[in-house]
Each structure stands twice: as structure tokens, then as C-alpha cells.
């Protein structure tokens, strides 16, 4: 595996760390390939029941590596734009469609595609120096990495338009108020431990049910009522056949605390 991406597994939690701290974890091709492939592997790993996405050093992720991007533009190979279909879209589908909970430890700046990555998580933990910047328009680009889907769902259409067109920084308190951050740690050093603690809690829960709830929410926000009811019926059928459901129901009747095994 590339050393631009670190993966640590412990107690059912996989912590995936973008590891280019000197470049504020900017996404070059090597990191994007590693992230795309690793997320796919984690999605299929039944031993992983929750995921933390973090950035090494002082930033979460500054977005696309613009030095590499400029070099590609000057070379005229077209690779600078094909990265959306080759890297960003698969990463978005893998992270946004992860069948288990995802927590983003957003320490420092999350800009451009870095902001997009954070907003794909189910939960986002920030600290005093956390900030978001929808930087795409600042370099003459439209949004990518799912930002047109996630941002309006979190802040509404009007605010999403403002954040994307004006491309002004959003500080931690404002982001928390808008719902872009789920929780605010008291210090930046507490961001990753808080994210991992939340992920550990989720990893001890009903993994299949969590995945189906995520599926319901993804469809319910944009489809018809009939579509939502169909997916709910499918989700309940899936969950109803799990050992976790049977054991938790029996524990409830027996007035005992359920123990979920993720299956």
C-alpha cells in the first residue's frame, strides 16, 4: 500500500488517514488511487464495522493537488479532468455508499474535494480550528466528489448555492450551526480520539441495520413515497433475517442488554 494512506484496524474500526501532511493532505494521483482501492476493500471486510477518515498533521484535506493538476494541464494529456471519472467518482460511491457507519475526524481545513470527502461521512467531528472551503469556483471549476448531492441535503439549496458560488471559508462554529459538523471537540487534539470513540460505539452496534438505514435515507430524500416504502420493506426483510435482530429481540424480552455481532 502507498505510504500516502495509512490504515489502522482496531476493535472493528478502520481508521483511514490521508498521509501527506506537508501538502495539507492534498489529493495527488497516488493518494487518490490508494483511497479508492482501500475503501473498496474495507467495504467488503466484515471484520470492519465502522470507519474513521482523518488527515495527518494540521489539515484534514486541502483538496486536489493543484501542482500536479497544473502539470497535467500543461502537458495536455487530459488526465487532469479524467480524474473525476477515474478517481473522485469511485471514491465518492465507495465512501458515500459504505454499508457501515463512517465518521470524519475533520481537524483543520477541509477544502474543495477535501470538504466533499468530509461531507460524505455519516458523522463529522471538528475542533476549534476546523474550517470548510468550497474552493472549486476559486479555480474556475464546478463542484465534484458528490458535493452537489451532500451539501444541499445538509444546509439547503440556498445556502449550498452561497457556499459554492462565493467560496468563502466556513469556520467551525458556523459549520456546526449549519449541520456540516455533527459535534465540536473542545480542542483540536481531541478531534481524532472523539471520532474514534464514536466509531467504536457504532462498531458495537447492529452493522446490517446501520447499513440499511443509510440506504433508506439515501433514497428517501430524493425519491417518491412509494420508492421509500419499497426500500423500507426490503431493508426490514434484510434486517429481520439477521442474528442481531433475533438476539436483540430475545434480549429485550428478557430485559437484558443486547450484544450485536454485526451479522
Amino acid at each position: 500500500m502507498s505510504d500516502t494512506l495509512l490504515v489502522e484496524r482496531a476493535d472493528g474500526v478502520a481508521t483511514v488517514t490521508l498521509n501527506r501532511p506537508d501538502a495539507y493532505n492534498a489529493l495527488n494521483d497516488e493518494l487518490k488511487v490508494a483511497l479508492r482501492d482501500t475503501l473498496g476493500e474495507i467495504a467488503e471486510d466484515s471484520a470492519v464495522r465502522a470507519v474513521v477518515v482523518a488527515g495527518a498533521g494540521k489539515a484534514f484535506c486541502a483538496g486536489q493537488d493543484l501542482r500536479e493538476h497544473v502539470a497535467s494541464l500543461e502537458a495536455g494529456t487530459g488526465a487532469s479532468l479524467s480524474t473525476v471519472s477515474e478517481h473522485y467518482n469511485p471514491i465518492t460511491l465507495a465512501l458515500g455508499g459504505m454499508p457501515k457507519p463512517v465518521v470524519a475526524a475533520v481537524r483543520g481545513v477541509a477544502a474543495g474535494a477535501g470538504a466533499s470527502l468530509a461531507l460524505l461521512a455519516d458523522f463529522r467531528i471538528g475542533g476549534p480550528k476546523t474550517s470548510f472551503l468550497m474552493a472549486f469556483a476559486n479555480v474556475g471549476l464546478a463542484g465534484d466528489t458528490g458535493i452537489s448531492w451532500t451539501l444541499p441535503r445538509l444546509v439547503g439549496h440556498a445556502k449550498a448555492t452561497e457556499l459554492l458560488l462565493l467560496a468563502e471559508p466556513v469556520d467551525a462554529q458556523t459549520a456546526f450551526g449549519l449541520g456540516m459538523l455533527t459535534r465540536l471537540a473542545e480542542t483540536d487534539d481531541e478531534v481524532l480520539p472523539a471520532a474514534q470513540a464514536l466509531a467504536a460505539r457504532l462498531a458495537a452496534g447492529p452493522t446490517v441495520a446501520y447499513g440499511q438505514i443509510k440506504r433508506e435515507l439515501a433514497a428517501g430524500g430524493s425519491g417518491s413515497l412509494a420508492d421509500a416504502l419499497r426500500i423500507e420493506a426490503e431493508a426490514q426483510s434484510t434486517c429481520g433475517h439477521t442474528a442481531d435482530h433475533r438476539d436483540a429481540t430475545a434480549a429485550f424480552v428478557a430485559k437484558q442488554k443486547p450484544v450485536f455481532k454485526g451479522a
Side-chain angles (χ1 to χ4, degrees), residues 196-250:
Q196 291 177 320
L198 177 57
R201 171 186 169 183
L202 292 163
T207 309
V208 175
Y210 287 156
Q212 292 301 317
I213 290 169
K214 290 178 62 170
R215 178 187 172 213
E216 289 176 339
L217 291 172
S222 55
S224 66
L225 176 59
D227 291 335
L229 294 176
R230 173 180 56 79
I231 290 171
E232 286 180 1
E234 294 171 358
Q236 289 295 52
S237 177
T238 297
C239 294
H241 286 89
T242 63
D244 273 350
H245 168 64
R246 293 192 300 271
D247 293 346
T249 302

Side-chain angles (χ1 to χ4, degrees), residues 10 24-25 34 62 75 77-78 86 101 110 112 117 143 147 166 172 191 242 250 256-257:
Y24 297 100
N25 302 312
T77 63
E86 291 182 14
L117 289 177
I147 197 69
L166 298 183
V191 170
T242 63
Q256 298 173 346
K257 184 178 180 179

